[in-house]
Amino acid sequence: MNHMRRLSNEKDGKKIKNQTEMIKSDRLLTMKTGYYDTDELITALATPWGESALAVIRTSGQGCIETVSACFSHSKKLTDAAGGTLVHDFFVDPGTREPIDEVIAAVYLAPSGYTGQDSVEIFCHGSLPGIQRILEALHKAGFRNARPGEFTMRAFMNGKFDLTGAEAVQEIVSAKSRKAQALALGRLSGNLFHEIDTVKHALVTILSKIEVQLDYAEDDIEESIEIPASEVRELERKISELAATYSTGRLYSEGARIVLAGRTNSGKSSLFNLFLKEDRSIVSDIHGTTRDYIESWITIRGIPVKLFDTAGYRESQDSIEEEGIRRSEKVAEAADLILYLIDGTFGITEENRSDMKQLSGETEVILIWNKSDIAVDDPPRDTIPVSAVKGAGFEILEQEICNKLLGASVSQDSEIMIDSLRQKELLDRAAESLSEAVLSLEGNVPLDVIAPEIGDAIDALGELTGEITSADILDKVFSGFCVGK
Amino acid sequence: MNHMRRLSNEKDGKKIKNQTEMIKSDRLLTMKTGYYDTDELITALATPWGESALAVIRTSGQGCIETVSACFSHSKKLTDAAGGTLVHDFFVDPGTREPIDEVIAAVYLAPSGYTGQDSVEIFCHGSLPGIQRILEALHKAGFRNARPGEFTMRAFMNGKFDLTGAEAVQEIVSAKSRKAQALALGRLSGNLFHEIDTVKHALVTILSKIEVQLDYAEDDIEESIEIPASEVRELERKISELAATYSTGRLYSEGARIVLAGRTNSGKSSLFNLFLKEDRSIVSDIHGTTRDYIESWITIRGIPVKLFDTAGYRESQDSIEEEGIRRSEKVAEAADLILYLIDGTFGITEENRSDMKQLSGETEVILIWNKSDIAVDDPPRDTIPVSAVKGAGFEILEQEICNKLLGASVSQDSEIMIDSLRQKELLDRAAESLSEAVLSLEGNVPLDVIAPEIGDAIDALGELTGEITSADILDKVFSGFCVGK
């Protein structure tokens, strides 16, 4: 079922009257035909699989509360509960009535709650066998396991947010830095949707004018309405700017790989530890945080960075060449940036020169003049003086790393960024159609040629926010979600 | 602060009037003097640290709701909320008011809820930077990180359960099998407490009679009240039986280590996979379950078992001896049970005989006649015929493993079991004091010698349920908990 050509079809004689009406029918059609059947009762563990104080098991669907109540020691407590309230009870096997856990249930009545359907969230002990027993009991009662993103998809179906908001839910969960999380929260709050929707409404107004013109043309009226190319060009610019945030948005969401390289004793491990220490203060208090000291996720000014210390390889080898360099190179190959350390107490050696020649490939490199506090010389040009042990020069290094990673990107201070390839491609498509429309308008091409160009841009933006969509697209969007979301 | 001698002191002329009254004052004293200050505002992540659909952040303490509300976009929504209800809002930085996440808050008003104090549970997205930001905002607002078990300790302080119930909370969380989880749930529901409390009350009645007798003795009344030794003996038997459940209870909670041993191609890996397959059906649907195929937790009839396949060692060696056996032995050393596989298609070889001699140490061994379906011979005496590939003989093997692990334990069908060393030691102390009291009663020893013996048993049981306790003991009990519980 593909709705993408909807607007083009409507051009054939019909006027655009009520977008919302059509959107609704689209969504309903998808509900019936898609991979996801929104009538079924679904359940999933919404918290990570591990021993902990609490775990949350989500349920949703029509008849959800009644069905969950079969697993409650005092079923009526649950079925009588008002929406938005908590119920304390024993969770039991619906067949044997054997108690399984002492739980709290949060009751949501449609259209409230996350999915907009009746739903119950069960807060149980974070016990692995306990969670298993509860899920099995729910299956017995009539629930099936939710597919990835199925709760969010139902929320989208019920109009809780547009498709960019739905995508933002998973983007929040998988955010690797505060900045990425904050950007995704903005999208969840609808800032991207409103930006796109504003452009789309302007385009719909322009298209309506064209359609009216085409209709009246049949009646042979004299005056033609002016469609200014500059107005379309301005909308095209807005869309292109949004598309251009993709590389930065993706950097904030997916992060960069940075490799530390250099000769033995150049101070790679000290620098590695310095990066970790600066970042670590944030998480040291949180229980269960573990780090692997050969590679570690850190954050540099909001950019998540997977930092690789090649120390492990170095130790077993006398020289960075031979086996050692082969293995370090493998890590460096996939790097976005290499930090090459020079031992300032020795100056630039022949070996350094040879390494630097090796490294001058496609990957960006920052040369670090380490041990700057006890160096033999002033830092050479193009190097950044740092004392990894004392922390001197660290802020300048961080700034330089940001500059290299963000490049000449104009969008790094933007409040609204995209990090989804799907969104990027649709914005590009919209911008391209608008570019064509601008050329057509400037070239006085007949309006019935321009109309589908603007129509296609509207379609692309509608698909972006999920107003025009197909089951296939939804499946693709939601299948990348985690279970329980 | 040690209250343990309380009852002995009371013997000096005073009668036992109101246990509850004294218990209360004990708890209050602990609240003021202990390591844990129940007045402070505490917070902790209650779900595992990992990306997921949802995370739960707990808060508790006096003024909790007011303080959390400083982090809410619409503070009044939270402060006006009735107990047992859910509030939907944006969580913001209390200083900058920058939105951090969209959350649901569960509001509990004292004396309801887990801790019995005012508390708010915050359900946020399972985003790692998001969780960090929320915890930091709560710290800014006035919360400190909760210590392990601190929420449960407050629940205990507020009389939500006795100390065996409090311990059961953590036992549920760390349960490695359904049976262990179910046993712990029974203890949380108070079945162990009631068992002990019944015995204790009977002892208090007996002690009261003795004290009356001693008081009246001063007044030179003629008739002495009979204290039957058989009654005390019966109580001692109950306590001893409970203490005897410890080895089984511990087996169910901590599990056993079983090592697969045998020559190359005897079928160890097939048997390992068979064990996993039988157990795996339970968890296959749960997202995120990972298993290490060299060692793996499985469950055999409710007993959690860490199963070791020594295959990894075997592969690199021609013979089980030399380096191979040294490493396998290291694993086998700490094993509770060794499953030694004989390849039935070869029969018992010289090498098998040599291995079996090596293995006949302190660890229990089950000899398995593998490939029984295509074996050259009937299974020898003392072996269990199994076809690891076809699954034949598997149930008999499981039964035999249970028999070996549970031994001659009489308590394996008991509904009430203990798995805490603290409880075991206190039950032993109570049983010992009662044994002495029985001997004293039978030997017509003066009552003022018997009274402290019974008094000590009462003290031990009171300490077990937490009615008599000290800050030191509580610290010890709760420090083994996970954070957020």
Side-chain angles (χ1 to χ4, degrees):
Chain A
M1 172 132 269
N2 192 331
H3 299 263
M4 275 193 248
R5 305 300 335 144
R6 185 175 53 77
L7 258 163
S8 326
N9 295 338
E10 278 152 14
K11 274 199 313 98
D12 304 330
K14 280 166 249 145
K15 295 193 193 81
I16 295 161
K17 269 178 193 151
N18 190 338
Q19 288 268 347
T20 327
E21 204 51 41
M22 282 178 291
I23 292 155
K24 270 198 185 147
S25 71
D26 271 344
R27 287 206 191 170
L28 283 171
L29 276 167
T30 316
M31 285 169 81
K32 295 297 169 204
T33 57
Y35 175 68
Y36 296 83
D37 185 340
T38 55
D39 287 339
E40 291 178 5
L41 290 167
I42 54 171
T43 185
L45 176 66
T47 45
W49 173 244
E51 278 176 21
S52 59
L54 286 181
V56 182
I57 292 169
R58 266 192 164 153
T59 66
S60 184
Q62 206 167 8
C64 173
I65 293 163
E66 187 75 23
T67 311
V68 174
S69 77
C71 302
F72 270 55
S73 179
H74 304 87
S75 303
K76 241 180 100 57
K77 269 170 102 172
L78 199 65
T79 49
D80 287 354
T85 62
L86 298 158
V87 175
H88 170 239
D89 202 4
F90 272 84
F91 190 96
V92 302
D93 183 293
T96 65
R97 310 299 295 170
E98 190 198 350
I100 293 177
D101 201 1
E102 194 176 353
V103 302
I104 300 279
V107 179
Y108 300 94
L109 300 181
S112 285
Y114 186 66
T115 57
Q117 299 183 309
D118 281 1
S119 65
V120 180
E121 281 170 5
I122 299 157
F123 309 115
C124 60
H125 289 96
S127 153
L128 303 187
I131 293 166
Q132 286 175 6
R133 291 177 73 198
I134 290 174
L135 286 173
E136 282 174 19
L138 289 171
H139 289 174
K140 232 191 242 183
F143 286 89
R144 68 162 169 82
N145 283 335
R147 302 194 176 92
E150 199 166 3
F151 291 92
T152 306
M153 188 183 217
R154 291 187 178 192
F156 165 72
M157 294 294 198
N158 287 320
K160 292 278 173 175
F161 29 60
D162 80 302
L163 200 50
T164 68
E167 283 175 297
V169 169
Q170 181 61 23
E171 288 157 3
I172 288 175
V173 165
S174 57
K176 290 188 185 67
S177 78
R178 287 141 183 266
K179 173 95 178 184
Q181 189 263 354
L183 286 168
L185 184 69
R187 290 190 289 267
L188 178 63
S189 309
N191 66 11
L192 177 59
F193 170 75
H194 290 301
E195 187 86 354
I196 291 166
D197 207 46
T198 307
V199 173
K200 208 178 108 241
H201 271 89
L203 289 173
V204 168
T205 306
I206 291 169
L207 185 56
S208 302
K209 281 185 198 164
I210 295 176
E211 305 252 350
V212 167
Q213 186 96 352
L214 289 170
D215 280 0
Y216 280 100
E218 287 161 20
D219 303 340
D220 287 315
I221 59 149
E222 65 237 51
E223 222 56 51
S224 77
I225 300 153
E226 187 68 17
I227 309 291
S230 64
E231 198 182 315
V232 177
R233 197 186 298 114
E234 176 58 21
L235 295 171
E236 187 274 331
R237 193 190 54 76
K238 273 195 180 166
I239 293 293
S240 294
E241 271 182 18
L242 211 48
T245 64
Y246 176 64
S247 62
T248 311
R250 199 167 146 265
L251 183 66
Y252 282 117
S253 78
E254 297 185 8
R257 293 162 68 96
I258 297 185
V259 170
L260 296 178
R263 295 274 149 181
T264 312
N265 279 326
S266 58
K268 294 194 295 293
S269 292
S270 301
L271 188 59
F272 189 82
N273 290 333
L274 182 61
F275 273 114
L276 257 58
K277 203 178 110 200
E278 293 289 319
D279 190 50
R280 177 164 279 236
S281 53
I282 301 163
V283 293
S284 58
D285 272 345
I286 296 175
H287 182 77
T289 318
T290 57
R291 281 172 181 281
D292 180 335
Y293 284 86
I294 305 307
E295 54 182 70
S296 186
W297 277 105
I298 59 166
T299 306
I300 297 176
R301 305 205 174 169
I303 303 170
V305 166
K306 193 161 196 182
L307 187 67
F308 293 83
D309 184 7
T310 52
Y313 310 132
R314 181 201 56 192
E315 310 275 279
S316 60
Q317 298 289 335
D318 288 322
S319 128
I320 199 171
E321 275 118 16
E322 298 157 36
E323 177 65 10
I325 204 167
R326 206 184 56 77
R327 296 167 82 175
S328 295
E329 263 178 357
K330 231 179 149 177
V331 178
E333 249 169 41
D336 299 296
L337 180 62
I338 295 168
L339 306 184
Y340 184 82
L341 281 83
I342 301 159
D343 184 341
T345 60
F346 284 99
I348 298 179
T349 63
E350 267 315 302
E351 288 162 325
N352 288 148
R353 267 183 245 283
S354 148
D355 292 346
M356 279 147 66
K357 213 171 140 190
Q358 282 259 7
L359 289 172
S360 63
E362 287 189 6
T363 311
E364 290 262 29
V365 179
I366 293 177
L367 300 177
I368 294 170
W369 182 254
N370 194 25
K371 311 186 189 176
S372 61
D373 51 330
I374 49 167
V376 288
D377 229 331
D378 283 344
R381 247 171 54 95
D382 301 329
T383 68
I384 296 180
V386 165
S387 167
V389 170
K390 302 213 168 160
F394 190 71
E395 287 202 8
I396 295 164
L397 176 60
E398 279 196 322
Q399 186 56 55
E400 184 62 18
I401 290 171
C402 283
N403 294 347
K404 288 275 191 199
L405 292 178
L406 291 168
S409 171
V410 286
S411 55
Q412 61 178 287
D413 291 327
S414 172
E415 288 276 307
I416 305 175
M417 285 189 202
I418 60 162
D419 73 353
S420 142
L421 185 60
R422 185 190 76 86
Q423 292 170 7
K424 161 89 161 79
E425 286 173 350
L426 289 166
L427 288 172
D428 283 346
R429 193 181 112 200
E432 205 177 308
S433 298
L434 293 184
S435 287
E436 283 167 19
V438 169
L439 285 179
S440 303
L441 283 167
E442 288 173 342
N444 286 316
V445 170
L447 285 182
D448 56 357
V449 172
I450 299 171
E453 290 166 349
I454 291 176
D456 186 64
I458 294 172
D459 273 7
L461 298 181
E463 196 183 316
L464 209 160
T465 58
E467 287 169 13
I468 311 164
T469 192
S470 73
D472 286 353
I473 293 166
L474 292 185
D475 281 358
K476 212 172 148 195
V477 167
F478 289 100
S479 62
F481 273 54
C482 63
V483 171
K485 196 77 233 186
Chain B
M1 170 135 263
N2 192 329
H3 300 264
M4 277 193 248
R5 304 303 332 146
R6 185 177 53 79
L7 257 164
S8 326
N9 294 339
E10 277 152 13
K11 274 201 313 96
D12 304 330
K14 281 167 249 146
K15 292 189 195 84
I16 296 162
K17 268 177 193 154
N18 191 337
Q19 288 267 347
T20 327
E21 204 51 41
M22 282 178 291
I23 293 156
K24 272 198 183 145
S25 69
D26 271 344
R27 287 205 191 172
L28 283 172
L29 276 167
T30 315
M31 285 169 81
K32 293 298 168 202
T33 58
Y35 174 67
Y36 296 83
D37 184 341
T38 55
D39 287 339
E40 291 178 6
L41 289 168
I42 54 172
T43 184
L45 175 65
T47 44
W49 174 245
E51 279 176 20
S52 59
L54 286 181
V56 182
I57 292 169
R58 268 193 163 151
T59 66
S60 184
Q62 207 166 7
C64 173
I65 293 162
E66 187 75 22
T67 312
V68 173
S69 78
C71 302
F72 270 56
S73 178
H74 305 87
S75 302
K76 242 179 100 59
K77 268 171 104 173
L78 199 65
T79 48
D80 287 354
T85 62
L86 298 159
V87 174
H88 171 240
D89 203 4
F90 272 84
F91 191 95
V92 302
D93 183 293
T96 65
R97 311 300 294 171
E98 190 198 348
I100 293 177
D101 201 3
E102 193 176 354
V103 303
I104 300 280
V107 179
Y108 301 94
L109 300 181
S112 285
Y114 185 67
T115 57
Q117 300 183 308
D118 282 0
S119 65
V120 179
E121 280 170 6
I122 299 157
F123 309 116
C124 61
H125 288 97
S127 153
L128 303 187
I131 293 165
Q132 286 175 7
R133 292 176 73 198
I134 291 174
L135 286 174
E136 282 174 20
L138 289 171
H139 289 174
K140 234 191 238 184
F143 287 89
R144 67 162 169 82
N145 283 334
R147 302 192 176 93
E150 199 165 3
F151 291 92
T152 307
M153 188 183 217
R154 291 186 178 192
F156 164 73
M157 294 294 199
N158 287 320
K160 293 278 173 175
F161 30 59
D162 79 302
L163 200 51
T164 68
E167 283 175 297
V169 168
Q170 181 60 23
E171 288 157 4
I172 287 174
V173 165
S174 58
K176 290 188 185 67
S177 77
R178 286 142 183 266
K179 173 95 179 184
Q181 189 262 354
L183 286 168
L185 185 69
R187 291 191 289 269
L188 177 63
S189 308
N191 66 12
L192 177 60
F193 170 75
H194 289 302
E195 187 85 354
I196 291 166
D197 208 45
T198 307
V199 172
K200 208 178 107 243
H201 271 89
L203 289 173
V204 168
T205 307
I206 291 169
L207 185 56
S208 302
K209 282 184 196 165
I210 294 176
E211 304 251 351
V212 168
Q213 187 96 352
L214 288 170
D215 279 1
Y216 280 100
E218 287 162 18
D219 304 338
D220 286 315
I221 60 149
E222 65 236 53
E223 222 56 51
S224 76
I225 299 154
E226 188 68 16
I227 308 290
S230 64
E231 198 182 314
V232 178
R233 198 185 297 114
E234 177 58 20
L235 295 171
E236 187 274 332
R237 191 189 56 75
K238 275 195 179 165
I239 293 293
S240 294
E241 272 181 17
L242 212 48
T245 64
Y246 175 64
S247 61
T248 311
R250 200 168 144 263
L251 184 66
Y252 281 117
S253 77
E254 297 186 8
R257 292 163 68 96
I258 298 185
V259 170
L260 296 178
R263 294 274 149 181
T264 312
N265 278 327
S266 58
K268 294 194 295 294
S269 291
S270 302
L271 188 60
F272 189 82
N273 290 332
L274 183 62
F275 273 114
L276 257 59
K277 202 177 110 199
E278 294 288 320
D279 190 49
R280 177 165 277 237
S281 53
I282 302 164
V283 293
S284 57
D285 274 345
I286 296 175
H287 183 76
T289 317
T290 57
R291 282 172 180 282
D292 180 334
Y293 284 86
I294 304 306
E295 54 183 70
S296 187
W297 277 106
I298 59 166
T299 307
I300 298 177
R301 305 206 174 169
I303 303 171
V305 165
K306 193 160 195 182
L307 187 66
F308 293 84
D309 184 6
T310 53
Y313 310 133
R314 180 203 57 193
E315 310 274 281
S316 60
Q317 298 290 333
D318 288 320
S319 126
I320 198 171
E321 277 117 17
E322 299 156 34
E323 177 64 10
I325 203 169
R326 206 185 55 77
R327 295 166 84 175
S328 295
E329 263 177 358
K330 232 178 148 179
V331 178
E333 249 169 43
D336 298 297
L337 179 62
I338 295 168
L339 306 185
Y340 183 81
L341 280 83
I342 301 160
D343 184 341
T345 60
F346 284 98
I348 299 180
T349 62
E350 268 315 302
E351 288 163 326
N352 287 148
R353 266 182 247 283
S354 148
D355 291 346
M356 280 147 65
K357 215 171 139 191
Q358 284 257 9
L359 290 172
S360 62
E362 286 188 5
T363 311
E364 291 261 28
V365 179
I366 292 176
L367 300 177
I368 294 171
W369 183 253
N370 193 23
K371 312 187 189 175
S372 61
D373 52 330
I374 48 167
V376 289
D377 229 330
D378 283 343
R381 247 171 54 94
D382 301 329
T383 69
I384 295 181
V386 165
S387 166
V389 171
K390 302 213 167 160
F394 190 71
E395 287 203 9
I396 295 164
L397 175 60
E398 279 196 321
Q399 186 56 55
E400 183 63 16
I401 291 171
C402 282
N403 293 347
K404 289 275 190 198
L405 291 178
L406 292 168
S409 170
V410 285
S411 55
Q412 59 177 289
D413 292 327
S414 173
E415 288 275 308
I416 306 175
M417 286 189 202
I418 59 162
D419 73 353
S420 142
L421 185 60
R422 185 190 76 85
Q423 292 170 5
K424 162 87 162 79
E425 286 174 349
L426 288 167
L427 288 173
D428 282 346
R429 191 181 114 201
E432 205 178 307
S433 297
L434 292 184
S435 288
E436 283 168 18
V438 169
L439 285 178
S440 303
L441 283 167
E442 288 173 340
N444 285 319
V445 170
L447 286 181
D448 57 358
V449 173
I450 299 171
E453 290 166 349
I454 291 175
D456 185 64
I458 294 171
D459 273 7
L461 299 181
E463 196 182 317
L464 207 159
T465 59
E467 287 169 12
I468 311 164
T469 193
S470 73
D472 286 353
I473 292 167
L474 291 185
D475 281 358
K476 212 173 148 193
V477 167
F478 289 100
S479 62
F481 273 53
C482 63
V483 171
K485 196 78 235 185

